[in-house]
Amino acid sequence: MEEYVIENEPYYIPVGSEVEIFTAAYRNHLPINLKGPTGCGKTRFMEYMAYKLKRPLITVACHEDLTATDLVGRFLIKGDSVEWNDGPLTKAVKSGAICYLDEVVEARKDTIVVIHPLTDNRRIIPIDKLGVILKASSEFMLAISYNPGYQSAVKDLKQSTRQRFVSIEFDYPPTEIEKQIVAHESGIDDRMAGSLVEIGHRIRNFKHHGLEEGVSTRLLIYAGKLIHEGIEPKEACRIAMARPITDNPDLQKSIDEIIAAIL
Ligand code: ADP
């Protein structure tokens, strides 16, 4: 499990009472759902909490081909014998790790079947292929993330799943905190970080005018990193903000104008 242990304290600035809430949920065996747009700090928060609670963190990036078997485990051929291999969820259940299923709605529907019995007071995982039912270690925790922004009716979390988790809502950090984060993570000075955050805010206001999602804290940091490396700031912002978030030339032009007005 050593590879899953976070040895150094991850840089994380709490935005509200999320640290206390997570800790209380952990102590009470409540599964957690982190809701929020991409790139706003959910993964970093999980790393921070795993460090604080001194638990290994097993993260699974869910995708449309991810099945229950991928999570639980499978038999693999080794030489002329067949060997059982625990999947990430089983590993976490056995060892008392925190299992974080990132973007859980992306996974295939059968994954839900293995998650459900872990989220109520049974805290068990049935391993059909071995014919066993494992009880989770008391230190085990299940956390999922979910972006309400791009869910369609087909890819939504069902109420029967949602209502098994307590939810912490995440959003882009407030201005002052986001500035600090951008400066810290990219190495640029506070003034430039302030300008990037200002651009970020203005772009986020476009969300109701055709943008699917606002620019993430992650992208502001990317712009900062390019600037720190010596890329011309306006160019860096076009590459790290305007181009990634939309392919629509009109919207890109409007974003370029915002960038030019601020830098
Ligand atoms: P998500 O998991 O929501 O997609 P991440 O956790 O990867 O997003 O966040 C993107 C980046 O933003 C992180 O790598 C981190 O540098 C930064 N970040 C966001 N919020 C915070 C915060 N509150 N404290 C420190 N860094 C943060």
Side-chain angles (χ1 to χ4, degrees), residues 11-13 15 37-44 173 181 185 217-218 221:
Y11 171 78
Y12 182 76
I13 307 182
V15 172
T38 184
C40 74
K42 301 185 293 300
T43 304
R44 180 62 63 87
I181 295 169
E185 298 284 277
T217 306
R218 184 189 297 125
I221 295 168

Side-chain angles (χ1 to χ4, degrees), residues 214-252:
V215 61
S216 63
T217 306
R218 184 189 297 125
L219 286 180
L220 299 185
I221 295 168
Y222 286 176
K225 285 186 170 168
L226 294 176
I227 294 168
H228 187 62
E229 280 294 319
I231 305 291
E232 197 278 314
K234 289 192 196 69
E235 178 72 351
C237 290
R238 282 193 287 268
I239 296 165
M241 299 193 214
R243 301 302 174 267
I245 59 172
T246 179
D247 300 321
N248 177 322
D250 293 336
L251 275 174
Q252 284 185 351

